[in-house]
Amino acid sequence: MAVIDEVAKTSAILHRRMLINGAWVDSVSGQTIIVENPAKRKPIAEVPRGNAEDVDRAVEAASRAFPVWSRTVPRDRGRLLSKIAEALEGRLEEIARLLALENGNALRTQARPEARNMADVFRYFGGLASELKGETIPFGEHVLSYTRREPLGVVGAIIPWNAPILLGALKIAPALCAGNTLVLKAAEDAPLAVLLMVEICQEHLPKGVLNVLTGFGLECGAPLANHPLVRKLSFTGSTEVGKSVMRAASERIVPVSLELGGKSPSIVYPDCDEDWVVDGIVGAMRFTRQSQSCTAGSRMFLHADIFDSFLAKLKSKAQALKIGDPLLEETDMGSIINKKQFSKVCGYIDDGLKRKEATLVFGGLPPAEGPLAEGYFAVPTVFADSSNDWRLAREEIFGPVLVAIPWRDENDAIRMANDSHYGLAAYVWTHEIGRGLRAAHAIQSGWVQVNQGLGQVPGHSYGGYKQSGIGREFSLEGMLDSFTQRKNVTVNLETPVRG
Ligand code: ADP
């Protein structure tokens, strides 16, 4: 912990390695990637810049480890995952601080809850190993036909920087529980907390079962997606990269799970001009994560009768959020991940400011001077516009920019909510539960929350409709569907007995 605090405060740099076949290694090329603290725009670490050769080594190690791991009694695999959960629980604060330092998410509101959730994922899947059950099929009295849930082999998993330890845990725990071995590629912007999580995992696992690479998408992610020995691909990230991962999967006919982008709608009914709903919208929009979340409720369809008064309340709540150093307890909202993303968010705000039809309700471009200018800090921003058809209402911004759109006819609100190529999350706000549920059923999204704007919990079959993804991984069904394949064995019981 002291090391992390030293790195946060001084110019000290951490040197971290990748995990291949139970050993911590540099990349074959010896090249590295610099990891920055986005709240200070300052280097904090270097990690290996893995490429295709490193991918080969990791996939071969995972492939060698597969026969023994896949035949390990499931309960024993589960027991190891439970031990990992316990070990992680003992080090949550350290992991959370490292995460806040590298990805800019505030420690109190984001990094700590994410660390807790990460450990819970290992606990959850640790208890599920005995649920890898098959079925018997009633072919007739003289036939025994049954299915087995068998692992797929080496899983290649690629994760983004926005919730790296939770998403990493969500690949590692179900894949290993089901008997697969894994090569995980961490995101280049936030590999450090993932490497620490994996270091703790490795203390309990046989070598080669879990391998972790650091590197850029094209140099390291793409060779992993295209590796002939990888038998399953699991990707979380942008829709564009998701398509390329799916193309790679189609070349070899390997199953693929994709959790991609979103432009999630929130529909607020006229009976909901109330503080608890405003708090819910702040949560659903993930403002305290700088809205760098694929489930951010970034299109708000607000009934025209309450439009102005609701926005006034939202303004006072959103502007009360304390933005600043992610490691300080008082901070509600940290910084955007990197310069590229920061410029992209500013570009969208610029577009909004230039558009005649749109009104800036509050926020705007980030401060160019003062303490916030030291890092990639953006401020909560809301534009009002009657159209669902402009760039800010259609594209995933991945920054704290919300578009508010008025409605009068419920069918219009639902039609606009569904008029998107995304379909990940959605939020409905009303006191009339029947109406809320009818809307929930009409919305084309994998996850609709009524009267709350919370995050995922283990056991939840979470995933997208449309271009927001394919497959579910967060639950028992997710593990069975995404990380096992069914084999049927059919036995003729009337085979003559010899001798
Ligand atoms: P984000 O915009 O959230 O960074 P990306 O989809 O670009 O989302 O990145 C998510 C993960 O995918 C990262 O680990 C990144 O390195 C990896 N990645 C990026 N491009 C590719 C690619 N062409 N093939 C495989 N992985 C990639």
Side-chain angles (χ1 to χ4, degrees), residues 215-278:
F216 292 117
L218 277 176
E219 289 175 5
C220 187
L224 178 60
N226 286 289
H227 201 289
L229 291 179
V230 169
R231 296 306 313 150
K232 153 86 195 186
L233 289 169
S234 173
F235 172 79
T236 303
S238 63
T239 294
E240 274 328 293
V241 176
K243 288 179 186 175
S244 76
V245 170
M246 196 162 178
R247 276 193 290 274
S250 76
E251 281 300 314
R252 314 196 300 287
I253 317 287
V254 299
V256 57
S257 312
L258 304 171
E259 201 262 271
L260 308 175
K263 189 75 188 176
S264 301
S266 248
I267 301 182
V268 185
Y269 282 80
D271 60 351
C272 270
D273 188 14
E274 295 172 2
D275 278 344
W276 67 274
V277 184
V278 179

Side-chain angles (χ1 to χ4, degrees), residues 54-356:
D54 303 292
V55 170
D56 269 344
R57 290 195 298 163
V59 173
E60 278 159 20
S63 192
R64 282 195 302 274
F66 178 70
V68 171
W69 183 248
S70 60
R71 286 193 209 115
T72 301
V73 176
R75 265 171 66 215
D76 290 341
R77 295 197 301 255
R79 201 171 284 130
L80 293 178
L81 293 176
S82 300
K83 280 191 187 161
I84 290 173
E86 199 173 322
L88 289 169
E89 279 158 3
R91 294 179 69 182
L92 290 185
E93 186 63 15
E94 188 185 348
I95 298 170
R97 293 185 86 80
L98 191 54
L99 179 61
L101 181 66
E102 68 176 330
N103 87 344
N105 277 353
L107 181 64
R108 192 192 85 250
T109 62
Q110 297 304 319
R112 248 186 226 133
E114 184 180 334
R116 177 82 256 162
N117 227 345
M118 161 205 69
D120 285 352
V121 168
F122 282 93
R123 277 244 172 261
Y124 173 77
F125 285 103
L128 287 184
S130 295
E131 293 299 324
L132 292 154
K133 297 170 186 164
E135 304 104 21
T136 54
I137 298 109
F139 271 25
E141 284 307 301
H142 306 294
V143 178
L144 169 63
S145 183
Y146 62 96
T147 56
R148 286 161 54 82
R149 290 275 185 183
E150 296 191 347
L152 291 144
V154 177
V155 175
I158 299 172
I159 53 171
W161 45 262
N162 67 329
I165 52 173
L166 174 61
L167 297 171
L170 269 176
K171 309 292 184 202
I172 299 169
L176 266 47
C177 181
N180 305 281
T181 55
L182 184 72
V183 178
L184 175 73
K185 193 198 86 68
E188 53 273 37
D189 289 297
L192 304 177
V194 169
L195 290 172
L196 177 53
M197 166 178 74
V198 164
E199 190 183 313
I200 296 164
C201 292
Q202 185 53 42
E203 285 164 15
H204 302 274
L205 294 172
K207 68 178 187 183
V209 167
L210 172 60
N211 305 272
V212 177
L213 299 170
T214 52
F216 292 117
L218 277 176
E219 289 175 5
C220 187
L224 178 60
N226 286 289
H227 201 289
L229 291 179
V230 169
R231 296 306 313 150
K232 153 86 195 186
L233 289 169
S234 173
F235 172 79
T236 303
S238 63
T239 294
E240 274 328 293
V241 176
K243 288 179 186 175
S244 76
V245 170
M246 196 162 178
R247 276 193 290 274
S250 76
E251 281 300 314
R252 314 196 300 287
I253 317 287
V254 299
V256 57
S257 312
L258 304 171
E259 201 262 271
L260 308 175
K263 189 75 188 176
S264 301
S266 248
I267 301 182
V268 185
Y269 282 80
D271 60 351
C272 270
D273 188 14
E274 295 172 2
D275 278 344
W276 67 274
V277 184
V278 179
D279 289 333
I281 290 287
V282 170
M285 179 51 187
R286 317 283 190 242
F287 272 133
T288 58
R289 264 175 86 180
Q290 305 75 261
S291 308
Q292 297 176 129
S293 161
C294 37
T295 53
S298 54
R299 288 185 298 150
M300 180 169 59
F301 297 99
L302 191 51
H303 194 273
D305 285 352
I306 60 168
F307 199 77
D308 294 334
S309 61
F310 191 95
L311 287 178
K313 289 191 193 69
L314 181 60
K315 177 177 178 176
S316 72
K317 296 242 185 209
Q319 291 196 325
L321 295 173
K322 184 152 179 34
I323 307 173
D325 185 343
L327 286 166
L328 295 179
E329 291 296 328
E330 73 232 36
T331 300
D332 297 311
M333 180 172 168
S335 78
I336 299 278
I337 183 74
N338 58 24
K339 188 171 184 181
K340 183 170 154 225
Q341 190 59 26
F342 181 73
S343 311
K344 186 175 151 202
V345 172
C346 294
Y348 279 107
I349 298 172
D350 249 341
D351 260 24
L353 293 171
K354 284 187 193 129
R355 183 176 155 96
K356 284 198 306 296

Side-chain angles (χ1 to χ4, degrees), residues 396-415:
E396 184 177 42
I397 298 174
F398 235 59
V401 184
L402 177 106
V403 177
I405 300 168
W407 60 275
R408 285 213 171 272
D409 178 335
E410 184 182 22
N411 292 326
D412 277 346
I414 291 172
R415 181 188 48 73

